[in-house]
């Protein structure tokens, strides 16, 4: 084999390695989410969109053009404190989105910078933020709707020890007395939120009450699939509810039955202890005679 042939083969090997390395690099770059995307998805997406419209909080498209980055950092880390200071912009936001109150976000300056960079980038491109992780880990299967109903109602405990949904929320037709009224009625939640938004909320509940309940006790992937299936089914089972207020209606059966139970309990206690005073009085009379 001549020296020229050997050189050509060596060059071909190097070129092949270069192309292979470049391919891996390009693939890795394509799969790498933009800076701030993960933090925005986990900490902000429950309440905010970028170029997707207002949710519980404002659409953040172009927010870096309307506010300084220093103001945004202070607001993100302690919005209520800035509101109490009398900041006009903070006051206006609290008033517009009341009664929702944005909780303090324990984000570092670097994380906030990454989120603001993401917002600037998508704003300039005119693109909408699409969460990468807001997907079900498996397709919905037969039985998930019933399993989701049992999970919602607390018949099946949450694996990480979280409080069952029915303690704070209601879905039309569940339970004899319905669910709790601390949170909104979820009968139409699948119509109110887009699928990625609802999945993201279940994955990273960032509402103040939900965050305190599920922050250290998150739902599992399996529980999220079942609850999502149940909510999705409720949208079709109760179409009339989709246009109603998410505020849970007052269930009059609960106070009525409670009142009846109270009266019956008092009657029963009175019968059980009907002789208690008579016995004491008789003893006092007996002692006075001696």
């Amino acid at each position: 084999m001549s020296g020229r042939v050997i050189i050509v083969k060596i060059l071909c090997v190097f070129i092949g390695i270069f192309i292979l390395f470049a391919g891996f690099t390009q693939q890795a770059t394509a799969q790498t989410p933009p800076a701030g995307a993960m933090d925005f998805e986990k900490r902000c997406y429950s309440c905010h969109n970028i170029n997707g419209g207002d949710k519980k909080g404002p659409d953040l498209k172009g927010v870096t053009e309307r506010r300084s980055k220093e103001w945004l950092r202070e607001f993100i880390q302690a919005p209520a404190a800035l509101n109490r200071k009398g900041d006009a912009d903070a006051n206006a936001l609290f008033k517009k989105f009341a009664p929702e109150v944005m909780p303090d976000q324990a984000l570092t300056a670097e994380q906030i910078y990454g989120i603001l960079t993401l917002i600037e980038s998508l704003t300039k491109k005119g693109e909408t933020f699409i969460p990468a992780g807001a997907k079900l880990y498996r397709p919905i299967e037969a039985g998930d709707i019933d399993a989701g109903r049992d999970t919602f109602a607390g018949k099946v405990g949450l694996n990480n020890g979280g409080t069952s949904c029915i303690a704070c929320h209601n879905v039309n037709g569940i339970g004899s007395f319905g669910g709790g009224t601390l949170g909104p009625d979820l009968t139409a939640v699948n119509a109110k939120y887009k699928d990625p938004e609802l999945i993201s909320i279940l994955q990273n509940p960032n509402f103040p009450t939900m965050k305190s309940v599920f922050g250290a006790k998150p739902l599992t992937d399996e529980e999220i699939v079942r609850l999502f299936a149940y909510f999705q089914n409720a949208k079709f089972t109760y179409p009339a509810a989709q246009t109603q207020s998410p505020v849970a209606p007052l269930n009059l059966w609960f106070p009525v039955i409670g009142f009846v139970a109270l009266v019956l309990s008092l009657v029963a206690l009175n019968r059980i202890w009907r002789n208690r005073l008579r016995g004491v009085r008789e003893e006092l009379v007996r002692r006075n005679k001696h």
Side-chain angles (χ1 to χ4, degrees):
M1 182 180 296
S2 67
R4 180 178 297 178
V5 173
I6 294 175
I7 292 173
V8 171
K9 287 188 175 180
I10 292 174
L11 285 175
C12 289
V13 170
F14 274 110
I15 291 172
I17 293 173
F18 174 78
I19 294 173
L20 184 63
F21 178 77
F24 277 126
T25 303
Q26 185 175 12
Q27 184 179 12
T29 302
Q31 293 176 347
T32 302
M38 292 299 293
D39 285 326
F40 185 87
E41 181 174 334
K42 290 184 177 180
R43 308 298 290 275
C44 312
Y45 189 63
S46 295
C47 301
H48 297 283
N49 267 324
I50 302 176
N51 204 20
D54 290 347
K55 294 160 75 174
K56 283 185 175 293
D59 187 332
L60 298 181
K61 174 188 175 185
V63 70
T64 56
E65 299 167 2
R66 300 190 297 273
R67 316 264 190 253
S68 71
K69 290 185 177 179
E70 180 57 30
W71 186 95
L72 289 169
R73 183 196 61 74
E74 186 175 358
F75 185 85
I76 291 170
Q77 291 181 326
L82 191 59
N83 184 45
R84 288 194 295 271
K85 287 181 181 178
D87 182 275
D89 291 334
N91 291 164
L93 286 171
F94 270 73
K95 183 177 180 180
K96 180 178 179 180
F97 291 95
E100 301 297 333
V101 176
M102 177 174 167
D104 295 353
Q105 299 297 319
L107 292 167
T108 65
E110 183 179 1
Q111 288 175 304
I112 293 174
Y113 176 78
I115 291 172
L116 297 182
T117 301
L118 172 73
I119 294 172
E120 283 184 327
S121 175
L122 293 181
T123 298
K124 290 178 181 177
K125 296 176 184 176
E127 296 179 354
T128 301
F129 177 78
I130 299 175
K135 301 174 184 175
L136 299 178
Y137 92 105
R138 66 166 175 80
I140 293 174
E141 300 172 351
D144 283 335
I145 295 173
D146 291 338
R149 179 187 174 90
D150 290 344
T151 301
F152 184 96
K155 293 181 179 178
V156 177
L158 299 177
N159 284 344
N160 290 327
T163 304
S164 297
C165 312
I166 198 171
C168 302
H169 298 282
N170 181 53
V171 167
N172 199 355
I174 193 164
S176 301
F177 301 108
T181 57
L182 178 62
D185 188 303
L186 300 183
T187 308
V189 69
N190 202 269
K192 180 180 179 180
Y193 293 103
K194 300 173 184 175
D195 289 355
E197 293 173 345
L198 180 55
I199 295 170
S200 180
I201 290 172
L202 294 171
Q203 291 173 332
N204 308 292
N206 207 25
F207 306 133
T209 303
M210 288 187 70
K211 188 176 181 179
S212 65
V213 174
F214 294 104
K217 301 174 181 177
L219 296 168
T220 65
D221 290 339
E222 186 67 21
E223 289 164 349
I224 289 173
V225 170
R226 293 173 178 176
L227 287 171
F228 182 85
Y230 177 55
F231 294 143
Q232 192 176 54
N233 181 68
K235 178 175 65 174
F236 301 112
T237 306
Y238 307 104
Q242 311 309 310
T243 57
Q244 297 175 357
S245 169
V247 177
L250 178 63
N251 188 340
L252 294 178
W253 276 110
F254 189 81
V256 169
I257 293 177
F259 178 77
V260 172
L262 174 63
V263 172
L264 293 177
S265 298
L266 292 174
V267 171
L269 289 173
N270 186 58
R271 288 188 61 80
I272 292 172
W273 292 336
R274 62 184 181 279
N275 295 323
R276 66 191 187 284
L277 296 178
R278 183 182 304 168
V280 172
R281 188 165 54 248
E282 289 176 347
E283 178 64 17
L284 291 174
V285 172
R286 185 183 65 79
R287 289 181 180 178
N288 288 332
K289 290 181 177 178
H290 291 85

